[in-house]
Each structure stands twice: as structure tokens, then as C-alpha cells.
Amino acid sequence: MLYAIHGTDVAGSLPQRLAARPAHLARLKALQDEGRLVLAGPFPAVDSNDPGPAGFSGSLIVAEFDSLAAARAWADADPYVAAGVYAGVEVKPFRKVLP
């Protein structure tokens, strides 16, 4: 089943985000290589593809996991969590309708 993982950034956490990004992307690449990643990306804090020093307000990941517990465990182990980037992470079942 698909699950949506929504992380909300701590204000001013751009330096921590940038430092943890390679490890975060490596985990996403592993999901992609396994054919389980539907989409992933950050929410710019301002209306721009490149928010510069404004940074990001959070991230969204939609991926396939065996269960809600497995999705939560994966999200809890994210390098952004360990680095203090996320103030909170919400994990919900997701049903893709389109496209």
C-alpha cells in the first residue's frame, strides 16, 4: 500500500537540512531502485523553485510500504529526523487516483 510521509521543518533548519541531505537522498534512491517510490520533494518556504536562504517548510514522500507501521518506522529513521530538521512527521495511508 502507498503511504504519504509529510515532514514539517523546524524554522531556521536549512543548515541541518543541507548537511543531512546526501543521506536523506540515498534512502530515497534506495526506495526508487526498489520500485517503491512514487514521488518525493521539499516544500519551498517561499514561492520559488530555489528558495535560497528562505529554505524549506517541509517535505512530502509518497512510497509503498508493507504496512503503516513499516512506513512510520522508515520515516522515524530518516536522517532529517536525526538531524533535527523536522519538527514533526505525519504518516498516512494514501490511495493514488490520478494519473
Side-chain angles (χ1 to χ4, degrees):
M1 180 165 185
L2 295 178
Y3 295 89
I5 300 169
H6 176 212
T8 302
D9 284 20
V10 170
S13 63
L14 183 58
Q16 294 93 324
R17 177 183 268 273
L18 295 175
R21 189 169 188 262
H24 172 78
L25 291 178
R27 293 179 81 234
L28 291 172
K29 179 73 169 112
L31 283 179
Q32 183 181 29
D33 291 348
E34 294 167 6
R36 297 170 43 205
L37 183 65
V38 174
L39 65 89
F43 297 111
V46 295
D47 190 14
S48 173
N49 280 329
D50 181 4
F56 300 91
S57 63
S59 301
L60 176 65
I61 299 163
V62 177
E64 184 178 343
F65 293 92
D66 290 335
S67 66
L68 180 57
R72 283 186 177 142
W74 188 92
D76 288 345
D78 193 290
Y80 284 174
V81 172
V85 173
Y86 291 151
V89 178
E90 186 175 19
V91 181
K92 293 182 175 185
F94 181 81
R95 189 175 132 215
K96 183 179 175 184
V97 175
L98 295 171

